[in-house]
Amino acid sequence: MKKLLLIVVFFTSLFPRFLFAQDDLMKMLDDVDKSDKKKDKSLNKVTAMFKDPQLINLQTPQTTGEGALNFNISHRFGNLGGASNGGFHTLYGWDAISDVRISFDYGITKKLQVGVARNKRDEAFDGSVKWRFLEQTLDNSIPLSICAYSIASLTPKLKSSIYTGADTAWIRNEELKSTTVLHDRISYTSQIILARKFAKWLSVVVAPTYMHRNYVLASVNTSNNVQDETDLYSVGAGVRIKITRSFSILADYFYVYSKYRMNNTANPYFAPLAVGFELETGGHVFHIDFTNAQGITPNYFIPYSPDSWTKGGYKLGFNISRAFPMGGKKTKKVKHDDSAQEPTEPAKPATQTTVNETPKPAEKSVKTSVAKDTYKVTCESLNMRSGAGSNYTLIMKINKNASVEVIEKVNSDWWKIKYNDEIGYVSSKFLSK
C-alpha cells in the first residue's frame, strides 16, 4: 500500500511543475479577456484534451455531449507471438479473439454520462457512470480536469464455470443459496481521473484505481504464501501526443499493487501496457492499438494479465466510436451585448435582426468552396459564434493577427471558419488576406 501511495504522489506531483510553462498552451488557445466580467465562463476552459472517452485501456475525462448517444465497438484479437500461442497457425492472433465489447454511453449533461455494454470476456454485462466535475482552465485557476468513473460488471456464466477449481462440497452447499451465487458474479472498479493538457500536442492522464471482486478462488502464490486478493489497488497513466489535426499517438500503463501477483510462477502476471494511434475521420474516432491486456474493461484486465510483451503476448485491437444526437436539450442561444464584445460596426437597416428578436435562419449559403483559404483577424478581438449572426452563442474570442481558415462564405457578412480545431462563424468584415 505504501508503494501505491508513493506512485500516486509521484504522478500527481508532476502537474504543478508545469503550471508556469504555459507558452505552448497559450499559443494553442486564445486568451480570455479577464477585464470582461460578463464573459461566458466556458471561454476559459481548455478544449480538445482527448477525442474519446477511452484512451486504450485507460479512461479519459472526455464525456459524451448532452443529449447524445455514443456507440462504441472495441475488438481485441489473440496474441501475435508464437511463444504466447500466437504465430502463423492462429494467423498471428486473428483466429483467436480475446475480447469484443459493444457499448452505448448517453450524455445526461455535458459533464455526466451513463453507459451499458456487453463483453465477450466472461459474457459480462456492465453498467458505468462518469462525472467530470472539474475542467482545466487557460488561466490555471483550475490546473487539472478531474473526473470520477465507476463500472460494475455481472457475468451470467454457468455456475460450474464460475466456481471452477473451488472445493466441490462447498459448491454443493452454495446451490441452495442463489442470492449468494448472484453476489459472486459481480465485480466493481472505481477511478479518479486526473488529466492535464500541457501543450497543443501533449495531454496526460493519471488514474488512481480501486477494484473489488465479490468472489475469488483461494489461490496461493507459492513464492510468498499470499492468497489472491478481493480488493486491488492500482494506478493507470496515459499520454496522447497529437501529430496532426486528425492523427495522434496513444499509450497507457497500469501498475497493480498485489503481493499475490509478484513473482507468481504458477499464475504469472504482467502489468497491462498499451500503445496505439488515433484517427479522426468525419465524425468517427478510430483507434488501432497493441496491448498485452486480454480484456477491454478494467474489471478483467486489472486482475488478469498473464501475457508478456517480451514473449509476443501483445494483441492487435481496434476501437471505433460514433456519437448520435438523440433529441436532447438544444444549445441555449445566449443573448450578448455585442457592443462590448464585437468591434463597432456601421449602422444596419432597421430590418436587421437584433439581440432582442428571435434569431432568423441564416441567409442561404452561396456554397463558395474555399480550400485552406487563410485569412487574418484585423480587429482587436473577434467573436466566433455558433451561427451566422451576432445573436448566436459565443464560442470563443480570436485575437488580432490570428490566422484562421475559411471553410465557407455563407453570405456577404458571415463566413464559416476553423481555428484551433474549433469551427464557427465570424463577421467577414474583420478578416483580411
Side-chain angles (χ1 to χ4, degrees):
M1 186 62 184
K2 291 182 180 179
K3 292 182 179 179
L4 176 65
L5 292 175
L6 288 173
I7 291 171
V8 175
V9 171
F10 171 74
F11 279 113
T12 54
S13 67
L14 292 177
F15 290 104
R17 298 173 184 266
F18 294 87
L19 296 185
F20 300 101
Q22 305 169 41
D23 290 343
D24 290 336
L25 184 61
M26 291 306 159
K27 291 177 182 178
M28 185 259 308
L29 298 166
D30 32 72
D31 293 324
V32 177
D33 183 4
K34 298 181 178 63
S35 64
D36 183 6
K37 296 181 180 180
K38 295 182 179 180
K39 68 179 181 295
D40 187 340
K41 293 182 180 180
S42 64
L43 299 178
N44 194 26
K45 302 294 176 60
V46 170
T47 60
M49 183 180 290
F50 295 96
K51 291 288 187 179
D52 199 70
Q54 191 161 338
L55 199 60
I56 301 177
N57 292 323
L58 182 60
Q59 291 288 321
T60 73
Q62 183 70 28
T63 53
T64 302
E66 181 177 1
L69 181 70
N70 189 61
F71 173 59
N72 186 287
I73 298 177
S74 299
H75 193 109
R76 194 157 288 171
F77 295 96
N79 292 333
L80 275 76
S84 296
N85 299 318
F88 177 77
H89 293 289
T90 65
L91 199 58
Y92 301 98
W94 283 77
D95 295 338
I97 298 174
S98 174
D99 200 3
V100 178
R101 174 179 167 85
I102 298 176
S103 63
F104 297 89
D105 296 300
Y106 180 74
I108 297 176
T109 70
K110 68 177 183 179
K111 297 183 179 181
L112 177 64
Q113 75 173 42
V114 294
V116 293
R118 169 58 160 82
N119 308 269
K120 175 183 180 294
R121 177 66 59 178
D122 281 350
E123 306 171 17
F125 292 91
D126 61 56
S128 63
V129 60
K130 181 187 285 188
W131 175 38
R132 188 176 72 249
F133 54 89
L134 279 181
E135 294 180 85
Q136 181 185 344
T137 58
L138 295 174
D139 60 7
N140 270 308
S141 58
I142 302 177
L144 303 173
S145 289
I146 304 180
C147 177
Y149 174 76
S150 187
I151 180 172
S153 295
L154 182 145
T155 172
K157 290 195 309 182
L158 295 174
K159 187 188 302 182
S160 57
S161 298
I162 296 174
Y163 296 123
T164 298
D167 182 81
T168 54
W170 187 83
I171 294 175
R172 283 196 297 271
N173 291 335
E174 288 303 314
E175 288 177 354
L176 302 176
K177 302 177 182 179
S178 57
T179 55
T180 302
V181 175
L182 175 62
H183 173 270
D184 291 347
R185 295 177 183 274
I186 303 174
S187 60
Y188 315 85
T189 299
S190 295
Q191 297 177 321
I192 296 295
I193 303 165
L194 304 97
R196 178 171 172 84
K197 191 168 189 175
F198 291 111
K200 180 179 180 178
W201 55 274
L202 177 63
S203 298
V204 175
V205 57
V206 176
T209 303
Y210 166 73
M211 181 188 178
H212 176 78
R213 294 171 292 166
N214 287 343
Y215 169 79
V216 296
L217 287 173
S219 303
V220 177
N221 183 343
T222 55
S223 66
N224 56 17
N225 294 320
V226 175
Q227 287 189 348
D228 195 0
E229 305 96 340
T230 56
D231 295 315
L232 290 173
Y233 298 90
S234 61
V235 176
V239 62
R240 175 177 179 259
I241 302 173
K242 182 179 177 180
I243 306 300
T244 68
R245 289 180 178 176
S246 58
F247 180 82
S248 299
I249 295 174
L250 313 173
D252 60 42
Y253 172 84
F254 272 82
Y255 174 82
V256 180
Y257 179 76
S258 168
K259 291 185 178 180
Y260 169 76
R261 286 161 179 76
M262 293 179 182
N263 303 316
N264 192 327
T265 55
N267 295 292
Y269 183 86
F270 301 91
L273 170 66
V275 295
F277 66 84
E278 172 185 82
L279 184 65
E280 186 178 8
T281 57
H284 295 82
V285 179
F286 185 60
H287 290 180
I288 292 181
D289 55 74
F290 295 91
T291 179
N292 63 323
Q294 290 185 349
I296 294 172
T297 67
N299 290 7
Y300 191 85
F301 70 73
I302 287 178
Y304 309 109
S305 185
D307 298 317
S308 169
W309 270 82
T310 59
K311 295 182 179 180
Y314 46 88
K315 307 153 187 65
L316 172 66
F318 69 82
N319 174 76
I320 185 168
S321 64
R322 177 66 188 251
F324 299 92
M326 297 296 291
K329 184 178 179 181
K330 296 182 180 179
T331 302
K332 184 178 180 180
K333 298 293 187 295
V334 180
K335 296 180 180 180
H336 294 276
D337 180 3
D338 288 317
S339 62
Q341 299 186 11
E342 296 274 12
T344 304
E345 300 183 24
K348 296 184 178 180
T351 56
Q352 175 74 21
T353 301
T354 67
V355 294
N356 294 319
E357 295 176 333
T358 303
K360 295 180 180 179
E363 295 180 25
K364 185 177 180 180
S365 171
V366 295
K367 301 292 183 181
T368 304
S369 177
V370 183
K372 293 187 177 179
D373 200 358
T374 303
Y375 284 72
K376 284 194 174 182
V377 176
T378 59
C379 61
E380 289 300 324
S381 180
L382 178 61
N383 286 351
M384 180 194 289
R385 299 188 175 277
S386 61
S390 59
N391 50 342
Y392 282 87
T393 305
L394 181 64
I395 297 175
M396 66 165 61
K397 291 186 177 184
I398 305 176
N399 293 333
K400 188 175 182 178
N401 294 325
S403 295
V404 302
E405 179 185 337
V406 175
I407 299 174
E408 181 182 340
K409 295 181 179 179
V410 179
N411 52 50
S412 60
D413 294 324
W414 291 89
W415 291 357
K416 186 177 183 180
I417 69 160
K418 186 171 186 178
Y419 177 69
N420 283 337
D421 294 330
E422 293 282 355
I423 294 177
Y425 298 81
V426 299
S427 174
S428 61
K429 296 181 179 181
F430 304 104
L431 295 180
S432 174
K433 281 287 190 179

